[in-house]
Structure formats: C-alpha cells, structure tokens
C-alpha cells in the first residue's frame, strides 16, 4: 500500500513538472506568435524568424499531447515561414524581396470558392468520422488560415481582411466552448489585423506614388533632351 502511494505521488509530481515545462514553452510560443504578428504588420522580414520559432515549439507541444493534425499543420507553417523569408528577401522581379501588392476581386473570388469547396469536404469528413463540435466551421477556419498564410508570404494586402473574418469566426467558436480568455485574444487579433491592413495599404500607396514620381521625372528628362536636340538642329 505504501509503495502504491509513493508511486502515485511520484506520478503526480512528474505530471506537474512536465506541465510546468510545457506551460513555459507554451508561453514562449505565444510571445513569439505575437512578435510575428506585430512585425508582419510593419512588413518586417524578421516576422518569419519569430513565426518559425513559434510554430516549431507548437509542433512539439501538440505532438506531446497527441494533437497530431495540429502538429502537422504547424509543420506546414514552419515551411511557410522559410518560404516567406525567402520571398521577402530574395523574391520579386529584381530578387530584392517582394513588395506589398493587391489582387483583383476576381482572383479572390476564385480563391474563396476553391478554399470553400475544400473546407466543405474536410468538414464533411470531420462530421462523419470525428466528434468535432463545429466540424464545418472548424474546417473552414483551418483551410482559410492555411491559404491566408500563403497570401502573407506573397505580401498580398487583402490577407488582413481574410484574417479579420477568420478571427471573428474563431471568437464565436471559443465563446461557444466557454473559452473566454482565448476569445479576448482573438478580439485582439482582429484589431491588429485591421491595423495591419491600413499599414500595408499605406505602404502600397507610398510605393505607387514613388513610382509615379519617378516616371514623371523620367518623362520630364526625356522632354528636356528632346527640346535641346531640337534647338541644336534649328541652330
């Protein structure tokens, strides 16, 4: 009986010790995830380093608690962090990193339709073979998050609008499950996504104005050269 009691106490102490270590790693992962979001808002390339570190930690944490699909999803995010870093530093026409861009509505409608179909298929599978509480909404947030992460890597302005919708749905899911603190975290994410949209839109407008000014200056130089050559011919 004494041996059984000692074994039980040791098991509880070990469990608390592991939980403490995991909580510390989880806190670090959350801080790195926040750093990623704040840096991404400013289009700072180091956001991808924070994203890689955060998702690497989550990959291990989810694997340890047997959330295998979440672990696999974070492996995808790790790969996207490497891809995003490469695009932001070496991508683009001049291999100097991609710039903030915008895609036409037609492209977004096709993207939404394709991702929506995939979400329905995944949601159907979850509803049929799992005990998921909100299979279709859960599948939609996951599938659209995967797609939107790609848009972040491509520096597509509208990625922030997708995140606003994804986070709003996530707020509903968390509230439905009584996860009040997590719901508040997603409210914070919505606010950051809105700010990120306007920051990137401003950067895009500045880039376009700089391009227009440069084009005007070049055109003015061409006109000046033409006038000089014309005067020489007249003389």
């Amino acid at each position: 009986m004494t041996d059984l009691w000692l074994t039980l106490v040791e098991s509880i102490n070990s469990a608390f010790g592991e939980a403490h270590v995991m909580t510390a790693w989880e806190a670090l992962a959350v801080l790195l995830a926040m750093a990623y979001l704040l840096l991404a808002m400013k289009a700072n390339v180091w956001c991808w380093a924070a994203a890689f570190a955060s998702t690497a930690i989550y990959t291990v944490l989810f694997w340890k608690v047997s959330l295998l699909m979440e672990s696999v999803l974070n492996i995808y995010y790790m790969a996207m962090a490497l891809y995003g870093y490469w695009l932001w530093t070496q991508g683009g026409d001049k291999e100097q990193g991609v710039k903030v861009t915008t895609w036409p509505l037609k492209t977004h409608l096709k993207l939404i339709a394709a991702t929506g179909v995939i979400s329905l298929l995944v949601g159907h599978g979850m509803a049929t073979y799992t005990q998921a509480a909100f299979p279709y909404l859960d599948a939609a947030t996951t599938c659209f998050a995967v797609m939107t992460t790609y848009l972040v890597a491509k520096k597509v302005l509208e990625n922030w609008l997708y995140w606003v919708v994804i986070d709003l749905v996530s707020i509903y899911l968390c509230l439905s499950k009584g996860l009040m603190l997590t719901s508040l975290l997603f409210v914070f994410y919505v606010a950051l996504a809105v700010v990120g949209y306007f920051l990137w839109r401003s950067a895009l407008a500045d880039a376009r104005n700089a391009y227009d000014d440069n084009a005007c200056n070049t055109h003015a130089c061409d006109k000046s050269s033409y006038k000089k050559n014309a005067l020489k011919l007249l003389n």
Side-chain angles (χ1 to χ4, degrees):
M1 185 68 180
T2 303
D3 292 339
L4 179 61
W5 177 253
L6 289 174
T7 301
L8 181 61
V9 171
E10 288 177 0
S11 298
I12 293 173
N13 288 335
S14 177
F16 273 111
E18 291 181 7
H20 176 73
V21 172
M22 289 186 66
T23 301
W25 280 109
E26 184 183 5
L28 178 59
V30 170
L31 289 175
L32 288 168
M34 292 300 298
Y36 157 72
L37 188 53
L38 292 171
L39 290 170
M41 287 168 54
K42 298 180 179 180
N44 188 311
V45 70
W46 289 107
C47 71
W48 297 113
F52 184 87
S54 175
T55 52
I57 295 172
Y58 274 126
T59 299
V60 176
L61 290 179
F62 285 136
W63 187 269
K64 283 183 174 292
V65 296
S66 298
L67 293 174
L68 303 186
M69 287 307 296
E70 290 293 334
S71 187
V72 171
L73 182 61
N74 275 275
I75 291 175
Y76 163 78
Y77 288 142
M78 287 173 63
M80 287 304 300
L82 295 174
Y83 178 64
Y85 180 82
W86 178 81
L87 271 182
W88 285 26
T89 56
Q90 304 295 325
D93 296 334
K94 298 181 180 179
E95 298 185 352
Q96 296 178 349
V98 293
K99 306 299 181 185
V100 178
T101 186
T102 182
W103 285 359
L105 178 60
K106 185 178 180 181
T107 301
H108 285 291
L109 291 177
K110 291 180 179 178
L111 200 58
I112 291 170
T115 309
V117 170
I118 295 172
S119 299
L120 288 174
L121 294 174
V122 174
H124 177 71
M126 292 175 65
T128 305
Y129 301 107
T130 72
Q131 299 298 318
F134 299 95
Y136 289 99
L137 282 180
D138 196 4
T141 54
T142 300
C143 291
F144 275 91
V146 167
M147 179 271 290
T148 306
T149 302
Y150 173 76
L151 297 189
V152 177
K154 300 288 287 185
K155 270 192 179 178
V156 178
L157 170 65
E158 291 80 16
N159 87 82
W160 296 108
L161 301 180
Y162 285 100
W163 284 125
V164 168
V165 176
I166 292 169
D167 292 337
L168 286 173
V169 175
S170 297
I171 290 171
Y172 170 75
L173 291 175
C174 291
L175 285 175
S176 299
K177 290 299 179 181
L179 301 172
M180 302 302 295
L181 291 178
T182 305
S183 300
L184 290 175
L185 181 62
F186 276 110
V187 170
F188 183 58
Y189 284 163
V190 170
L192 290 181
V194 171
V195 174
Y197 174 79
F198 285 106
L199 285 176
W200 279 33
R201 192 175 74 168
S202 178
L204 179 62
D206 290 342
R208 285 177 171 173
N209 290 334
Y211 176 82
D212 291 341
D213 291 342
N214 186 49
C216 288
N217 291 335
T218 302
H219 183 64
C221 289
D222 291 341
K223 288 179 67 177
S224 178
S225 298
Y226 175 79
K227 288 180 179 179
K228 288 181 179 178
N229 290 332
L231 288 173
K232 287 181 180 179
L233 289 174
L234 289 173
N235 294 331

